[in-house]
Amino acid sequence: MTEPPQIAQPYEPLPEDWERALAIVAHPDDVEFGASAAIARWTGQGKKIVYTLATSGEAGIDGMPPEEAGPLREEEQRESARIVGVDEVEFLGFPDGVMEYGLPLRRAFARAVRQHRPEIVITGNFRDTFGGVFLNQADHIATGRAVLDAVRDAANRWVFRDLLDEGLEPWDGVRAVWAGSSPEARHAVDTTETFDLGVESLRAHAAYLAGLGEDFPEPAELLEGFGRQAGTRLGCRFASPFEVYAIRMDDLDQG
């Protein structure tokens, strides 16, 4: 007997009663594959968002040596961020492609959280796959796991005590971590009005996209497929989905 097809559950809208967010991802272009249209919506509301990138994406272009690709990809990321209203982008210098989950990564992310004091921390999908079809990258998985732990580390005075010597007091104001494009997402934000900005922000990664080859989909085509699918579940034209990890007890109803 054939099983009936599963019906995707509607997404819940993300809360927008916050003012500061920090996006922590592994590589240049990670935010742009799905979340940058949401960033544009939020900066358009006057919210302050900072990007922290673990690597410079120097191993991401097969035909270009890392010492050339890294600086170029940093510049592309800064332009991409500018398009969606983000004017602060920092690179932590971890090695692209061989990042490992561990204390150095947690410390670096905890430092960023204490420095920028966000209410929301945004990262990418760090589950094993994208919808059970495409395997995720090790850098993405290590980054997301470290982000979750770093948010708690940033709130604990007695973890990474050397950060106190830098004048970075604990920060326990993070309400939730939002993982974009997660296959387990149950929340989303309407990006209908800012979809085109999201496309332009991905196009800004011109050298990286060229390195993916002629067969790689054009940014508008690629993002439209993702955005329409999420929009259908939210009840709008385009949307960006996120998996919510609540940090504070009073935000558990977001999970």
Coordinates of all heavy atoms in Angstrom, one line a residue, residues 8-18 34-35 38 41-42 120-123 125 127 175-191 226-227 229-236 238-247 250-255:
A8 N 3.7 19.4 4.0 CA 4.6 20.3 4.7 C 3.8 21.2 5.6 O 2.8 21.8 5.2 CB 5.5 21.1 3.8
Q9 N 4.2 21.3 6.9 CA 3.5 22.2 7.8 C 3.8 23.6 7.6 O 4.9 24.0 7.1 CB 3.9 21.8 9.3 CG 3.5 20.4 9.7 CD 2.0 20.3 9.7 OE1 1.3 21.1 10.2 NE2 1.5 19.2 9.1
P10 N 2.8 24.5 7.8 CA 3.1 26.0 7.6 C 4.2 26.4 8.5 O 4.4 25.9 9.6 CB 1.7 26.6 8.0 CG 0.7 25.5 7.8 CD 1.4 24.2 8.2
Y11 N 4.9 27.4 8.1 CA 5.9 28.1 8.9 C 5.3 29.1 9.8 O 4.3 29.7 9.5 CB 7.0 28.8 8.1 CG 8.0 27.9 7.4 CD1 8.3 28.2 6.1 CD2 8.6 26.9 8.0 CE1 9.3 27.4 5.4 CE2 9.6 26.1 7.4 CZ 9.9 26.4 6.1 OH 10.8 25.6 5.4
E12 N 5.9 29.2 11.0 CA 5.5 30.3 11.9 C 6.4 31.5 11.6 O 7.6 31.4 11.3 CB 5.7 29.9 13.4 CG 4.8 28.8 13.8 CD 3.4 29.2 13.9 OE1 3.2 30.4 14.2 OE2 2.5 28.4 13.7
P13 N 5.9 32.7 11.7 CA 6.7 33.9 11.5 C 7.7 34.1 12.6 O 7.4 33.9 13.8 CB 5.7 35.1 11.4 CG 4.5 34.6 12.1 CD 4.4 33.1 11.9
L14 N 8.9 34.6 12.2 CA 9.9 34.9 13.2 C 9.5 36.2 13.9 O 9.0 37.1 13.3 CB 11.3 35.1 12.6 CG 12.0 33.8 12.2 CD1 13.2 34.1 11.3 CD2 12.4 33.0 13.4
P15 N 9.9 36.3 15.2 CA 9.7 37.6 15.9 C 10.6 38.7 15.4 O 11.7 38.4 15.0 CB 9.9 37.3 17.4 CG 10.9 36.1 17.3 CD 10.5 35.3 16.1
E16 N 10.2 39.9 15.4 CA 11.0 41.0 14.9 C 11.1 42.1 16.0 O 11.5 43.3 15.6 CB 10.5 41.5 13.6 CG 10.6 40.5 12.5 CD 10.2 41.0 11.1 OE1 9.2 41.7 11.0 OE2 11.0 40.7 10.1
D17 N 10.9 41.8 17.2 CA 11.0 42.8 18.3 C 12.4 42.8 18.9 O 12.6 42.6 20.1 CB 9.9 42.4 19.4 CG 10.1 41.0 20.0 OD1 10.7 40.2 19.3 OD2 9.6 40.8 21.1
W18 N 13.4 42.9 18.1 CA 14.8 43.0 18.5 C 15.5 44.0 17.7 O 15.0 44.5 16.7 CB 15.4 41.6 18.4 CG 15.3 41.0 17.0 CD1 14.2 40.2 16.6 CD2 16.1 41.1 15.9 NE1 14.4 39.8 15.3 CE2 15.5 40.4 14.8 CE3 17.3 41.8 15.6 CZ2 16.1 40.3 13.5 CZ3 17.9 41.7 14.4 CH2 17.3 40.9 13.4
G34 N 20.4 32.2 0.8 CA 19.1 32.0 1.4 C 18.7 33.0 2.5 O 17.6 33.3 2.7
A35 N 19.7 33.6 3.2 CA 19.4 34.4 4.3 C 19.6 35.9 4.1 O 19.1 36.8 4.9 CB 20.2 34.0 5.6
A38 N 16.6 38.2 4.0 CA 16.1 38.4 5.4 C 16.9 39.5 6.1 O 16.3 40.4 6.7 CB 16.1 37.2 6.2
R41 N 15.8 42.8 4.8 CA 14.5 43.2 5.5 C 14.8 43.9 6.8 O 14.3 44.9 7.2 CB 13.6 42.0 5.6 CG 12.3 42.3 6.4 CD 11.6 41.0 6.7 NE 10.5 41.2 7.6 CZ 9.2 41.3 7.3 NH1 8.8 41.4 6.0 NH2 8.3 41.5 8.2
W42 N 15.6 43.2 7.6 CA 15.9 43.7 9.0 C 16.7 44.9 9.0 O 16.4 45.8 9.8 CB 16.5 42.5 9.8 CG 15.6 41.4 10.0 CD1 14.2 41.4 10.1 CD2 15.9 40.0 9.9 NE1 13.7 40.1 10.3 CE2 14.7 39.2 10.1 CE3 17.1 39.3 9.8 CZ2 14.7 37.8 10.2 CZ3 17.1 37.9 9.8 CH2 15.9 37.2 10.0
I120 N 19.9 38.4 18.8 CA 19.8 37.2 18.0 C 21.1 36.9 17.3 O 21.8 37.8 16.9 CB 18.7 37.5 16.8 CG1 17.4 37.8 17.5 CG2 18.6 36.3 15.9 CD1 16.7 36.7 18.3
V121 N 21.4 35.6 17.3 CA 22.6 35.1 16.6 C 22.1 34.3 15.4 O 21.3 33.4 15.6 CB 23.6 34.3 17.5 CG1 24.7 33.7 16.6 CG2 24.2 35.2 18.5
I122 N 22.6 34.6 14.2 CA 22.2 33.9 13.0 C 23.4 33.1 12.5 O 24.5 33.5 12.5 CB 21.8 35.0 11.9 CG1 20.6 35.8 12.4 CG2 21.5 34.3 10.6 CD1 20.4 37.1 11.6
T123 N 23.1 31.9 12.1 CA 24.1 31.0 11.5 C 23.5 30.3 10.4 O 22.3 30.5 10.0 CB 24.8 30.1 12.5 OG1 26.0 29.5 12.0 CG2 23.9 29.0 13.0
N125 N 22.7 26.4 8.2 CA 22.4 25.0 8.5 C 23.6 24.2 8.9 O 24.6 24.2 8.2 CB 21.7 24.4 7.3 CG 21.5 22.9 7.4 OD1 21.1 22.4 8.5 ND2 21.7 22.2 6.4
R127 N 23.1 20.9 10.2 CA 22.7 19.5 10.3 C 23.5 18.8 9.2 O 24.2 19.4 8.4 CB 21.2 19.4 10.1 CG 20.4 19.9 11.3 CD 19.0 19.6 11.3 NE 18.3 20.1 12.4 CZ 18.1 19.4 13.6 NH1 18.6 18.1 13.6 NH2 17.5 19.8 14.6
R175 N 18.8 35.9 22.8 CA 17.5 35.2 23.0 C 17.4 33.9 22.2 O 16.8 33.0 22.7 CB 16.4 36.1 22.5 CG 16.2 37.4 23.3 CD 15.3 38.5 22.6 NE 14.1 37.9 22.0 CZ 13.2 38.7 21.4 NH1 13.4 40.0 21.2 NH2 12.1 38.1 20.9
A176 N 18.0 33.8 21.1 CA 17.9 32.6 20.2 C 19.0 32.6 19.2 O 19.5 33.6 18.8 CB 16.6 32.5 19.6
V177 N 19.3 31.4 18.7 CA 20.2 31.2 17.5 C 19.2 30.8 16.4 O 18.4 29.8 16.6 CB 21.3 30.2 17.8 CG1 22.0 29.8 16.5 CG2 22.2 30.6 18.9
W178 N 19.4 31.4 15.3 CA 18.5 31.1 14.1 C 19.4 30.5 13.0 O 20.4 31.2 12.5 CB 17.8 32.3 13.6 CG 16.8 32.9 14.5 CD1 16.3 32.4 15.7 CD2 16.1 34.2 14.4 NE1 15.4 33.2 16.2 CE2 15.3 34.3 15.5 CE3 16.2 35.2 13.4 CZ2 14.4 35.4 15.6 CZ3 15.4 36.3 13.6 CH2 14.5 36.4 14.7
A179 N 19.2 29.3 12.6 CA 20.0 28.6 11.6 C 19.3 28.6 10.3 O 18.2 28.0 10.1 CB 20.3 27.1 12.0
G180 N 19.8 29.4 9.3 CA 19.1 29.6 8.0 C 19.2 28.3 7.2 O 20.2 27.6 7.2
S181 N 18.2 28.1 6.4 CA 18.1 27.0 5.4 C 18.2 25.6 6.0 O 18.5 24.6 5.3 CB 19.2 27.2 4.3 OG 19.1 28.4 3.7
S182 N 17.9 25.5 7.3 CA 17.9 24.2 7.9 C 16.7 23.3 7.4 O 15.6 23.8 7.3 CB 17.8 24.3 9.5 OG 17.6 23.1 10.1
P183 N 16.9 22.0 7.2 CA 15.8 21.2 6.8 C 14.8 21.0 7.9 O 13.7 20.5 7.7 CB 16.5 19.9 6.4 CG 17.8 19.9 7.2 CD 18.2 21.3 7.2
E184 N 15.2 21.4 9.2 CA 14.3 21.3 10.3 C 13.7 22.6 10.7 O 13.1 22.7 11.7 CB 15.0 20.7 11.5 CG 15.6 19.3 11.3 CD 14.5 18.3 11.0 OE1 13.4 18.4 11.6 OE2 14.8 17.4 10.2
A185 N 13.7 23.6 9.8 CA 13.2 24.9 10.0 C 11.7 24.8 10.2 O 11.0 24.0 9.5 CB 13.4 25.8 8.9
R186 N 11.2 25.5 11.2 CA 9.7 25.6 11.5 C 9.3 27.1 11.5 O 8.1 27.4 11.7 CB 9.3 25.0 12.8 CG 9.6 23.5 12.8 CD 8.7 22.8 13.8 NE 8.9 23.3 15.2 CZ 9.6 22.7 16.1 NH1 10.3 21.6 15.8 NH2 9.7 23.2 17.3
H187 N 10.2 28.0 11.2 CA 9.9 29.4 11.2 C 10.5 30.0 9.9 O 11.4 29.5 9.3 CB 10.6 30.2 12.4 CG 10.0 29.8 13.7 ND1 10.3 28.6 14.3 CD2 9.2 30.4 14.6 CE1 9.6 28.5 15.5 NE2 9.0 29.6 15.7
A188 N 10.0 31.2 9.6 CA 10.4 31.9 8.4 C 10.1 33.4 8.5 O 9.3 33.8 9.3 CB 9.9 31.3 7.1
V189 N 10.7 34.1 7.6 CA 10.4 35.6 7.5 C 10.1 35.9 6.0 O 10.7 35.4 5.1 CB 11.6 36.4 8.0 CG1 12.8 36.1 7.2 CG2 11.3 37.9 8.0
D190 N 9.1 36.8 5.8 CA 8.7 37.2 4.5 C 9.8 38.1 3.9 O 10.1 39.1 4.4 CB 7.4 38.0 4.7 CG 6.8 38.4 3.3 OD1 7.5 38.4 2.3 OD2 5.6 38.8 3.3
T191 N 10.3 37.6 2.7 CA 11.3 38.4 2.1 C 10.9 38.9 0.7 O 11.7 39.2 -0.2 CB 12.6 37.6 1.9 OG1 12.3 36.3 1.2 CG2 13.2 37.2 3.3
F226 N 14.2 28.4 -3.9 CA 14.2 28.2 -2.5 C 13.2 29.2 -1.8 O 12.4 28.8 -0.9 CB 15.6 28.6 -1.9 CG 16.7 27.7 -2.3 CD1 18.0 28.2 -2.4 CD2 16.5 26.4 -2.6 CE1 19.0 27.3 -2.8 CE2 17.5 25.5 -3.0 CZ 18.8 26.0 -3.1
G227 N 13.1 30.4 -2.3 CA 12.3 31.4 -1.7 C 10.8 31.1 -1.9 O 10.0 31.4 -1.0
Q229 N 9.4 28.2 -2.3 CA 9.0 27.0 -1.5 C 8.7 27.5 -0.1 O 7.7 27.1 0.5 CB 10.1 26.0 -1.6 CG 9.7 24.7 -0.8 CD 10.8 23.7 -1.0 OE1 12.0 24.0 -1.1 NE2 10.5 22.4 -1.0
A230 N 9.6 28.3 0.5 CA 9.4 28.7 1.8 C 8.2 29.7 1.9 O 7.5 29.7 2.9 CB 10.7 29.4 2.3
G231 N 8.1 30.5 0.9 CA 7.0 31.5 0.9 C 5.6 30.8 0.9 O 4.7 31.2 1.6
T232 N 5.5 29.7 0.2 CA 4.3 28.9 0.2 C 3.9 28.5 1.6 O 2.7 28.5 2.0 CB 4.4 27.7 -0.7 OG1 4.6 28.2 -2.1 CG2 3.1 26.8 -0.7
R233 N 4.9 28.1 2.4 CA 4.6 27.6 3.7 C 4.4 28.7 4.7 O 3.8 28.5 5.8 CB 5.8 26.7 4.2 CG 5.9 25.4 3.4 CD 7.1 24.6 3.8 NE 7.0 24.1 5.2 CZ 7.8 23.3 5.8 NH1 8.9 22.9 5.2 NH2 7.7 23.0 7.1
L234 N 4.8 29.9 4.4 CA 4.6 31.1 5.2 C 3.3 31.9 4.8 O 2.8 32.6 5.6 CB 5.8 32.0 5.3 CG 5.8 33.1 6.3 CD1 5.7 32.6 7.7 CD2 7.0 34.0 6.1
G235 N 2.9 31.7 3.6 CA 1.7 32.4 3.1 C 2.1 33.7 2.4 O 1.3 34.7 2.5
C236 N 3.2 33.7 1.7 CA 3.6 34.9 1.0 C 4.4 34.5 -0.3 O 4.5 33.3 -0.6 CB 4.5 35.8 1.9 SG 6.0 35.0 2.5
F238 N 7.8 35.2 -1.3 CA 9.1 34.7 -1.0 C 9.3 34.7 0.5 O 8.9 35.6 1.2 CB 10.2 35.5 -1.7 CG 10.2 35.4 -3.2 CD1 10.0 36.6 -3.9 CD2 10.3 34.2 -3.9 CE1 10.0 36.6 -5.3 CE2 10.3 34.2 -5.2 CZ 10.2 35.4 -6.0
A239 N 10.1 33.8 1.0 CA 10.5 33.7 2.4 C 11.8 33.1 2.6 O 12.3 32.3 1.8 CB 9.4 33.0 3.2
S240 N 12.4 33.3 3.8 CA 13.7 32.7 4.2 C 13.4 31.9 5.4 O 12.9 32.4 6.4 CB 14.8 33.7 4.5 OG 15.2 34.4 3.3
P241 N 13.6 30.5 5.4 CA 13.3 29.7 6.6 C 14.5 29.6 7.6 O 15.7 29.7 7.2 CB 13.1 28.3 5.9 CG 14.0 28.3 4.8 CD 14.1 29.8 4.3
F242 N 14.2 29.4 8.8 CA 15.2 29.3 9.9 C 14.8 28.3 10.9 O 13.6 28.2 11.3 CB 15.4 30.6 10.6 CG 16.0 31.7 9.8 CD1 15.2 32.5 9.0 CD2 17.4 32.0 9.8 CE1 15.8 33.5 8.2 CE2 18.0 33.0 9.0 CZ 17.2 33.7 8.2
E243 N 15.7 27.5 11.4 CA 15.5 26.7 12.6 C 15.9 27.5 13.8 O 16.9 28.1 13.9 CB 16.3 25.4 12.5 CG 16.1 24.5 13.7 CD 16.8 23.1 13.6 OE1 17.6 22.9 12.6 OE2 16.6 22.3 14.4
V244 N 15.0 27.5 14.8 CA 15.2 28.3 16.0 C 15.6 27.5 17.1 O 15.1 26.5 17.5 CB 13.8 29.0 16.4 CG1 14.0 29.7 17.7 CG2 13.4 30.0 15.3
Y245 N 16.7 27.9 17.8 CA 17.2 27.3 19.0 C 17.1 28.4 20.1 O 17.9 29.3 20.1 CB 18.7 27.0 18.8 CG 19.0 25.9 17.8 CD1 19.1 26.2 16.5 CD2 19.1 24.5 18.2 CE1 19.3 25.2 15.5 CE2 19.3 23.5 17.3 CZ 19.5 23.9 15.9 OH 19.7 22.9 15.0
A246 N 16.1 28.2 20.9 CA 15.9 29.2 22.0 C 16.9 29.1 23.0 O 17.4 28.0 23.4 CB 14.5 29.0 22.6
I247 N 17.4 30.2 23.5 CA 18.5 30.3 24.6 C 17.9 30.6 25.9 O 18.2 30.0 26.9 CB 19.5 31.3 24.2 CG1 20.2 30.9 22.8 CG2 20.6 31.3 25.3 CD1 20.8 29.6 22.7
D250 N 12.3 32.3 28.6 CA 11.1 33.0 28.2 C 10.9 33.1 26.7 O 9.9 33.6 26.2 CB 11.1 34.5 28.7 CG 12.3 35.3 28.4 OD1 13.3 34.7 27.8 OD2 12.3 36.5 28.6
D251 N 11.9 32.5 25.9 CA 11.7 32.4 24.5 C 11.5 31.0 24.0 O 11.6 30.7 22.8 CB 13.0 33.0 23.8 CG 13.0 34.5 23.9 OD1 12.0 35.2 23.5 OD2 14.0 35.1 24.4
L252 N 11.2 30.1 24.9 CA 11.0 28.7 24.5 C 9.9 28.5 23.5 O 9.8 27.5 22.8 CB 10.9 27.8 25.7 CG 12.1 27.6 26.5 CD1 11.8 26.8 27.8 CD2 13.2 26.8 25.7
D253 N 8.9 29.4 23.5 CA 7.8 29.3 22.7 C 8.1 29.5 21.2 O 7.3 29.3 20.3 CB 6.6 30.2 23.1 CG 7.0 31.7 23.0 OD1 8.2 32.0 23.0 OD2 6.1 32.5 23.1
Q254 N 9.4 30.0 20.9 CA 9.8 30.2 19.6 C 10.3 28.8 19.0 O 10.5 28.8 17.8 CB 10.9 31.2 19.5 CG 10.5 32.6 19.9 CD 11.7 33.5 19.8 OE1 12.6 33.3 18.9 NE2 11.7 34.6 20.5
G255 N 10.6 27.8 19.8 CA 11.2 26.6 19.2 C 10.2 25.7 18.5 O 9.1 25.9 18.5

